Amino acid sequence: MILTSCSSLRRRGASSWQWRLLLVLATATCVALLFSFSFVATMSKELQKSDNMLQGGVHENQNQIVNHEHEGGIADILSPPTSGIFEAAKNSATGTVFNNEKIRKYVGLSYYDKNIDSSASADDSKLFRPSTNESILEVLRVDDPGYISNHCNKWGVVTTIFDPTKAISRVASLPSWCLIIVPDTKTPDNYMEKLLQLQREKDNSDSDLTNSKNNTDSDLTNSIVDQDMLELETNNINGTTTDHDLSNKNIIFLTVEKQKELENLQGPFGDFIRSTPWNHFCRKNVGYLVAMFLGAQFIFDFDDDNYIKLDIVSGHPLSILPDDLNLRNTTVIMQGANAFNHHPIMGASVEGSWARGFPTDLIQNKATQGIAAYQTDLPISGQTYGVKREVGVIQYLADNNPDIDALHRMSKPLPITFPLDGASASAVLVPTHAYSPYNAQATIHTRNAMFAMLLPSTVPGRVSDIWRGYFAQCIFADTGLSLVFAPPKIVQVRNDHDYLGDFEAEGDLYLKSGKLIEFLAQWDSKHNTVPQRMEHLWIDLYERGYIEETDILSLQKWIGALYQIGYEFPPLKRRFRNVAVMGQFNYADKPSVFHDVMFWVQKNREQFDTVLAAGPFSKDQISSFKEHSIDVIQGKDDRGFYSPLENQMNTLLRFKDSDKVDGVIYVHDDGIMNVTELSQGKYPFPHNDIIGSGDGYSYMDIRHAPSMLPTSDGVFKYNAKRVNDTMYIERNNLAYRVFSDGHIEDFDKTVNFTDLRSAMSEIGLNKWHHFKRAFCGPAQVKVAMDTESKVFREDDGSVLIPPYVQADFLFVPTKYADAFADAAKLHLKHTVFIECAYNTVASMTKMKTNATSRSVDLCTTWIPRRGDDRHMRDCKNGKNNYGFVHPWKLGKQSYSHWSETYDWLQ
């Protein structure tokens, strides 16, 4: 009765805010009652359980709980697992929030906890047995093997227990696509006969299909999106078909009998099929595996109630992959938050909309809704864009009754539409660090992403595909794969569902999604292959109560089956997690500073896990950054003369006791790091050396420098001399010694001077015009005369002052944080300009700690092309492998051009 009242209010609420208020109250009542009923039901079920490991699942189209026998009790339970939506309730006042703590320990076999790679042979694991690929082909009994091998590298996969729908026949009619249908035990026996008959009929419009549905979503009637287009479909379609519409040669119907034959095959392939439960949404896994075995480069993972829209002119289903495999005018999203709600920026017609699986506690958080940075064309499948990245998954949105959760359906009106054409219609690229829920209803996986298609079986179907997507994105972040949401080429005409039944089945989504994203965003593994990391991740998820032990066993068999059929896992392209990057912004008064910082932080997070920004930000700016989950340091407003040193010092002290961060990179916002050169191609980031930038020599290590140093025409041009077409600098012209009484000697201690001016005049010490100013040379003399410099003095009592440096980059290991801080404070005390201070601070740190150092080549120039495209080309094509390029200013470039140049220089 309450549900009926809610539905009635929803219909009336379409035109009255008063009724909408009543709707909210009524929905709250429904939810409160459901809380009570679910708690009682859950407690009753728990009392009846004799085995904590009993597994259960929900078929997406049935909402019927199906129990599956546990495959061996090898879990050591630390604390009793709970189940049901409201499992956390502890007293009558409130509940206990799910907190990601370990509740049990996995003590089973870990097959991939060793160094194996994607070229592993069948003997590398106990899972691997002799190949049975020929036997797989025999079981499939494909009518036209030649057609499959020559035409089918794009496969649709669907499972169903209902009669065929036009959603399935439309996929079957897509040119160059083939289709695998995975029936379950309740699928009609004459399914293929009905499908062929359906293909012979003309394709009615989607509005007619909607009207024919007699379910709880039937309020939609004629209000479906793009009604003019649908009328054209009804009037103009005369049964026109493509060359394989009325032929089954592009369709594989995996009968129950065939699936049982596959279960009997030797090896992990058969093991996996045998372990996949019947009457469950995850039966789709069988179809994925068969498609991959048959060489699929793309898999369209869809449901039988998701209809590809029809083209207005031809009447054929719209193409779901562009011919040139490029996603045109894709919007690159930028944000700081780790969760991304794609509905608002993609123009959902209902305000405040969100997708199924998006964390309930974040649905009103504007910081999760993203900001459009720029638009670009994205290549698909094997091609790279950005920093070693490629598209892995394309999720199509759906019009009419899209994939939203029961809470959304009970509180907001339907239908919901999204723009398909025009300026406001654009695919969106999810940031590398962000997580967004994608489903198994209208989703394309490219070959490199197919390893992540496994649906867990021990959770309800309303949870299974969302969990899969979140788990996958965690691995994608370190394999160079990205998620794209595309405009709605789909209309969903939803099969029968009960809202309250969905609500209960979605319980984990409401209570755990936010915590899951928090966990995944911080998760890491020392393993070096995708299979190892997947197994490690799923074990960690099991120990925290997201999945069950059966899912781990299924994953192990899945990985073994992928090896058996010859699938090649993508290589890792990992972000560095053991160092933090601190970006220095000298100015905070530009109108674009908020977006500039957000963009810069996100771009660097493509390669580094921990990125923060430092600058003279106001309290209001700091607050805004925090609201958007952007880590910032509030520095002094000194135009960057001194504050970068202080900001790096504070960042080092912040992370010095971290178990995760081994070092801090300081880089100006207008510099670009060549991360491959900096890391020397190693992983994790080498963190033993202090790393500076210069002309190829670590001038902070001036003690061991030769007397004549080759250099370029850049940094030390004021002191350089040309000898036989090579530029040199003399060590004695750059480095000097200051004693506590203020007198100065050259590096080799051959002459001494009473003051700095005399040294500059007589030996040409440091001809750089800033050197003689109060904040440079004279300030360094004050540092050396300060009694606090005693700990940094050489054996002869002097403080060694190395050359100045273009101070836009420095890496310091956190183990040297205290020594670095002592030297930095001394320089900040006497306000030494950073270009005069940085090498001396690094040199002092080395002296006090016996640290080692190295330098990467700096590409810079002071001629008119400084900071333009010609300068960047010189840096890219120069004889040196530059580790740092400066400047490349955000304020002078578009985000798109800055990003492309950053990628190009890697």
Side-chain angles (χ1 to χ4, degrees):
M1 180 178 69
I2 293 174
L3 181 58
T4 302
S5 299
C6 290
S7 298
S8 174
L9 287 169
R10 179 165 58 85
R11 288 194 296 269
R12 297 181 184 182
S15 59
S16 170
W17 69 267
Q18 294 96 337
W19 283 111
R20 292 190 184 192
L21 177 60
L22 290 175
L23 168 63
V24 173
L25 296 174
T27 301
T29 303
C30 294
V31 171
L33 288 172
L34 181 60
F35 266 61
S36 301
F37 295 155
S38 297
F39 181 76
V40 173
T42 298
M43 293 304 297
S44 176
K45 290 176 184 177
E46 289 296 314
L47 291 173
Q48 295 174 16
K49 286 185 179 179
S50 59
D51 185 353
N52 282 330
M53 297 300 296
L54 184 65
Q55 308 302 319
V58 179
H59 195 292
E60 172 72 20
N61 291 329
Q62 287 181 284
N63 273 328
Q64 295 178 346
I65 303 295
V66 181
N67 293 323
H68 306 291
E69 185 176 354
H70 173 53
E71 298 187 14
I74 59 175
D76 178 18
I77 308 300
L78 299 181
S79 60
T82 53
S83 62
I85 298 180
F86 309 108
E87 59 196 30
K90 299 296 182 184
N91 57 60
S92 60
T94 188
T96 301
V97 176
F98 182 81
N99 57 16
N100 272 330
E101 290 183 359
K102 285 188 178 182
I103 61 172
R104 53 197 174 188
K105 182 175 177 60
Y106 176 74
V107 295
L109 295 175
S110 179
Y111 289 102
Y112 300 99
D113 191 10
K114 61 177 181 174
N115 277 326
I116 61 174
D117 58 29
S118 58
S119 62
S121 69
D123 295 327
D124 283 333
S125 166
K126 292 180 180 179
L127 284 180
F128 300 151
R129 304 190 191 118
S131 175
T132 58
N133 289 358
E134 292 183 4
S135 300
I136 297 172
L137 282 173
E138 291 174 4
V139 172
L140 294 179
R141 294 188 292 277
V142 177
D143 293 335
D144 190 345
Y147 182 89
I148 296 294
S149 61
N150 293 326
H151 295 87
C152 296
N153 70 351
K154 293 180 283 190
W155 287 89
V157 174
V158 66
T159 185
T160 182
I161 60 171
F162 298 119
D163 283 335
T165 66
K166 282 293 183 181
I168 293 175
S169 67
R170 288 182 185 180
V171 174
S173 68
L174 286 172
S176 73
W177 280 83
C178 297
L179 175 63
I180 293 175
I181 302 171
V182 185
D184 217 317
T185 56
K186 296 185 179 181
T187 306
D189 293 335
N190 59 345
Y191 186 92
M192 286 303 294
E193 295 177 18
K194 292 182 177 180
L195 178 59
L196 189 58
Q197 178 61 38
L198 189 64
Q199 288 177 290
R200 291 193 177 102
E201 299 172 1
K202 73 177 183 179
D203 201 346
N204 292 326
S205 73
D206 295 325
S207 59
D208 290 343
L209 290 168
T210 305
N211 291 334
S212 69
K213 300 296 290 184
N214 183 20
N215 59 25
T216 56
D217 299 317
S218 61
D219 301 331
L220 305 177
T221 52
N222 292 319
S223 57
I224 192 156
V225 65
D226 214 345
Q227 192 64 34
D228 291 339
M229 183 189 79
L230 296 174
E231 289 174 1
L232 281 169
E233 291 172 359
T234 305
N235 296 331
N236 294 341
I237 296 172
N238 296 310
T240 304
T241 60
T242 63
D243 60 350
H244 60 215
D245 273 340
L246 303 182
S247 168
N248 291 336
K249 63 184 179 181
N250 70 317
I251 301 176
I252 293 180
F253 185 70
L254 287 177
T255 64
V256 172
E257 291 73 22
K258 284 185 179 180
Q259 293 180 60
K260 290 182 177 178
E261 287 185 59
L262 291 174
E263 290 179 354
N264 295 326
L265 295 177
Q266 293 295 309
F269 189 98
D271 292 346
F272 176 76
I273 305 296
R274 191 162 52 252
S275 69
T276 304
W278 294 93
N279 298 314
H280 193 284
F281 180 58
C282 75
R283 201 69 199 170
K284 267 189 172 183
N285 290 333
V286 176
Y288 306 148
L289 190 58
V290 170
M292 294 166 71
F293 167 72
L294 293 172
Q297 298 301 307
F298 301 92
I299 291 179
F300 180 49
D301 185 9
F302 73 105
D303 275 357
D304 61 356
D305 57 0
N306 279 252
Y307 297 73
I308 300 175
K309 292 180 180 179
L310 301 177
D311 183 80
I312 297 176
V313 178
S314 69
H316 293 308
L318 296 172
S319 173
I320 55 175
L321 270 181
D323 293 337
D324 62 354
L325 296 182
N326 271 284
L327 297 174
R328 301 293 180 191
N329 299 319
T330 300
T331 298
V332 176
I333 299 299
M334 62 179 183
Q335 66 172 49
N338 287 328
F340 172 52
N341 178 7
H342 56 279
H343 275 205
I345 203 164
M346 296 192 74
S349 60
V350 172
E351 186 177 357
S353 181
W354 68 93
R356 173 170 60 94
F358 187 77
T360 311
D361 54 327
L362 297 177
I363 57 179
Q364 296 189 59
N365 188 335
K366 302 293 186 183
T368 66
Q369 296 177 11
I371 297 169
Y374 59 91
Q375 289 192 333
T376 189
D377 295 341
L378 291 185
I380 309 172
S381 180
Q383 304 178 66
T384 59
Y385 70 88
V387 181
K388 305 175 294 185
R389 306 202 68 79
E390 62 181 277
V391 175
V393 173
I394 304 170
Q395 163 78 69
Y396 280 103
L397 300 187
D399 278 337
N400 185 42
N401 196 345
D403 188 26
I404 53 179
D405 58 37
L407 182 62
H408 194 307
R409 286 192 169 92
M410 290 191 293
S411 61
K412 292 183 180 293
L414 291 169
I416 299 176
T417 62
F418 301 86
L420 177 60
D421 300 303
S424 60
S426 169
V428 300
L429 174 66
V430 179
T432 301
H433 69 273
Y435 288 78
S436 195
Y438 70 85
N439 59 36
Q441 297 184 6
T443 303
I444 292 176
H445 285 71
T446 63
R447 182 76 180 182
N448 277 344
M450 291 178 190
F451 70 87
M453 294 191 74
L454 178 67
L455 293 161
S457 65
T458 65
V459 295
R462 298 291 296 167
V463 175
S464 180
D465 58 340
I466 301 301
W467 263 200
R468 174 188 74 173
Y470 281 142
F471 301 172
Q473 289 171 78
C474 183
I475 305 296
F476 287 174
D478 287 321
T479 50
L481 296 169
S482 291
L483 169 63
V484 172
F485 288 98
K489 292 189 174 183
I490 306 294
V491 173
Q492 181 170 181
V493 186
R494 201 169 185 242
N495 290 324
D496 291 349
H497 281 251
D498 179 88
Y499 286 171
L500 293 182
D502 283 352
F503 185 82
E504 182 172 18
E506 294 164 357
D508 277 0
L509 301 182
Y510 302 132
L511 298 181
K512 296 182 179 180
S513 289
K515 290 297 181 181
L516 176 60
I517 291 174
E518 288 181 15
F519 173 74
L520 295 175
Q522 295 298 318
W523 183 85
D524 192 20
S525 172
K526 294 181 179 179
H527 292 308
N528 296 317
T529 69
V530 167
Q532 291 172 310
R533 294 172 77 86
M534 286 181 69
E535 185 187 51
H536 186 180
L537 174 62
W538 283 49
I539 288 173
D540 283 350
L541 292 166
Y542 159 76
E543 291 181 340
R544 286 158 180 79
Y546 290 101
I547 53 176
E548 297 300 329
E549 182 193 335
T550 297
D551 294 311
I552 299 174
L553 302 178
S554 179
L555 174 73
Q556 291 169 338
K557 293 169 185 175
W558 167 265
I559 293 172
L562 294 184
Y563 276 125
Q564 180 180 329
I565 65 175
Y567 178 80
E568 294 185 7
F569 291 89
L572 292 182
K573 302 173 183 177
R574 290 182 289 193
R575 296 167 298 157
F576 292 103
R577 297 174 182 267
N578 67 316
V579 295
V581 174
M582 185 212 83
Q584 171 69 29
F585 287 76
N586 290 342
Y587 305 96
D589 54 354
K590 296 188 300 181
S592 64
V593 67
F594 179 80
H595 287 168
D596 289 349
V597 170
M598 178 182 288
F599 170 79
W600 189 94
V601 167
Q602 176 170 297
K603 187 63 186 176
N604 281 275
R605 286 187 75 177
E606 291 180 8
Q607 303 221 66
F608 297 91
D609 188 59
T610 302
V611 181
L612 56 157
F617 306 122
S618 67
K619 290 183 178 179
D620 288 342
Q621 287 173 324
I622 295 286
S623 178
S624 295
F625 286 133
K626 288 183 177 180
E627 288 175 3
H628 286 263
S629 303
I630 298 172
D631 197 351
V632 294
I633 292 175
Q634 188 175 30
K636 292 183 172 63
D637 189 3
D638 59 8
R639 296 185 296 164
F641 269 50
Y642 320 104
S643 57
L645 180 61
E646 183 175 22
N647 294 337
Q648 185 174 20
M649 175 189 73
N650 289 333
T651 306
L652 278 164
L653 293 174
R654 171 180 166 182
F655 288 111
K656 75 170 186 174
D657 297 321
S658 170
D659 294 331
K660 174 183 175 182
V661 175
D662 297 320
V664 173
I665 296 174
Y666 146 67
V667 58
H668 249 87
D669 67 300
D670 59 351
I672 293 180
M673 297 180 286
N674 181 340
V675 180
T676 302
E677 190 68 19
L678 290 175
S679 66
Q680 299 176 319
K682 299 176 181 178
Y683 187 92
F685 194 95
H687 57 273
N688 290 320
D689 296 335
I690 299 173
I691 308 174
S693 65
D695 279 1
Y697 189 83
S698 178
Y699 295 105
M700 66 188 89
D701 194 24
I702 197 67
R703 294 174 184 82
H704 304 104
S707 60
M708 295 290 287
L709 293 167
T711 186
S712 70
D713 189 16
V715 180
F716 297 111
K717 65 179 182 178
Y718 301 105
N719 292 79
K721 298 179 180 179
R722 186 174 296 276
V723 180
N724 296 327
D725 296 326
T726 301
M727 300 295 292
Y728 288 93
I729 54 172
E730 293 185 36
R731 184 179 57 188
N732 262 2
N733 287 141
L734 291 175
Y736 61 102
R737 302 172 184 272
V738 180
F739 291 82
S740 59
D741 62 0
H743 89 270
I744 295 171
E745 297 183 9
D746 65 351
F747 179 86
D748 294 327
K749 297 194 290 186
T750 58
V751 292
N752 65 76
F753 308 94
T754 57
D755 55 54
L756 188 65
R757 185 178 296 275
S758 299
M760 294 178 65
S761 173
E762 295 190 32
I763 64 172
L765 178 64
N766 224 323
K767 297 178 181 178
W768 183 41
H769 60 280
H770 281 307
F771 178 70
K772 62 185 178 183
R773 301 181 68 178
F775 54 63
C776 192
Q780 289 177 311
V781 173
K782 291 180 180 179
V783 167
M785 296 176 65
D786 194 311
T787 56
E788 294 180 14
S789 70
K790 182 177 181 180
V791 295
F792 298 113
R793 290 175 184 163
E794 306 290 315
D795 292 341
D796 62 1
S798 69
V799 171
L800 181 61
I801 309 296
Y804 64 91
V805 66
Q806 188 164 319
D808 299 289
F809 167 86
L810 186 72
F811 170 75
V812 180
T814 51
K815 59 186 176 183
Y816 306 134
D818 288 332
F820 184 91
D822 290 342
K825 289 175 183 176
L826 192 56
H827 284 73
L828 292 167
K829 174 181 177 181
H830 294 283
T831 57
V832 183
F833 181 39
I834 59 169
E835 306 214 348
C836 303
Y838 252 107
N839 260 351
T840 310
V841 171
S843 177
M844 287 178 167
T845 304
K846 283 169 56 64
M847 176 192 175
K848 191 172 182 180
T849 62
N850 292 318
T852 55
S853 64
R854 62 185 172 95
S855 182
V856 294
D857 284 340
L858 165 68
C859 186
T860 190
T861 185
W862 296 93
I863 62 178
R865 67 173 181 267
R866 172 179 168 86
D868 66 12
D869 287 334
R870 293 172 299 168
H871 177 198
M872 295 301 107
R873 285 194 296 271
D874 290 344
C875 295
K876 176 68 174 179
N877 301 323
K879 63 180 180 180
N880 296 333
N881 293 320
Y882 293 106
F884 187 66
V885 177
H886 180 273
W888 189 239
K889 295 183 179 295
L890 272 176
K892 292 185 177 180
Q893 315 296 333
S894 66
Y895 290 161
S896 175
H897 193 39
W898 199 96
S899 177
E900 290 167 357
T901 304
Y902 179 102
D903 299 333
W904 180 64
L905 288 170
Q906 300 306 309

